[in-house]
Amino acid sequence: MKGRESGMPEEDYWSSFFNPEAMLDQLLVMPGERCNVLEFGCGYGTFSLPAAQRAQGVVTALDIEPAMVELVAERAKAEGLPNVVAELRDFVEHGTGVPDESQGHAMIFNLLHIEDPVALLREAYRTLQPGGILSVIHWRSDIETPRGPPLTIRPKPEQCQSWLSEAGFDSVNRVDLESNAPYHYGMVARRPVG
Ligand SMILES: C[S@@+](CC[C@H](N)C(=O)[O-])C[C@H]1O[C@@H](n2cnc3c(N)ncnc32)[C@H](O)[C@@H]1O
């Protein structure tokens, strides 16, 4: 089931909201050298592709839209990124299909307004190795934004924090995305080691 309000606008417009490279410098914490990275809902690959330039492990980019998956696979090939696996997957219905504790980092960007955010966070937790890191970004509610889901379903940082704790993450920290994504807030959370 495609998450509510998760369609994408034209790519140029979408890209105008972010500086993905600079954001990943802030968010893509990897607890080891050859970490795998998993993105839930990769869209145009705005973040999956630059993540693959940084990660030594495999970057798994999942999306329910065939056109998005094809685009990301084509771009990975064109950009010489053999470590990208773009896969058609409905992770709400079927989970990610990624083995337990296999990922060093998971990204859930612009998606936590879906119907059951805690289930998605629990799935991210399952895939992360102990000490693995989840990063989350979402549209701010404290300022006017040019896009984003309706405010009635748009989670505030405090809400995400509470969901992250419910899913088992500890060490949840806010990341100020500053001029790299002025309409967004960021968070990183860790799957506990013990
Ligand atoms: C708002 S876009 C965000 C894309 C990307 N994370 C970004 O920030 O640039 C959400 C993406 O999640 C995908 N999506 C929504 N529900 C999904 C599901 N159940 N399984 C897999 N992908 C899903 C949509 O097709 C869309 O590409």
Side-chain angles (χ1 to χ4, degrees), residues 1 3 6 8 14 39 41 63-64 89-92 109-110:
M1 181 187 74
S6 66
M8 294 289 271
W14 185 251
E39 184 172 15
D63 208 286
I64 198 170
R89 186 95 189 168
D90 178 347
F91 45 66
V92 169
F109 288 2
N110 297 302

Side-chain angles (χ1 to χ4, degrees), residues 36-52 57-76 81-91 96 98 103 105-107:
N36 297 321
V37 176
L38 172 64
E39 184 172 15
F40 287 74
C42 58
Y44 296 113
T46 311
F47 298 97
S48 304
L49 294 169
V58 171
V59 174
T60 304
L62 304 179
D63 208 286
I64 198 170
E65 291 290 346
M68 295 295 180
V69 174
E70 279 165 31
L71 183 71
V72 172
E74 275 167 23
R75 286 188 170 162
L81 295 168
N83 59 334
V84 174
V85 174
E87 195 182 314
L88 188 64
R89 186 95 189 168
D90 178 347
F91 45 66
T96 58
V98 168
Q103 308 295 307
H105 192 103
M107 305 190 289

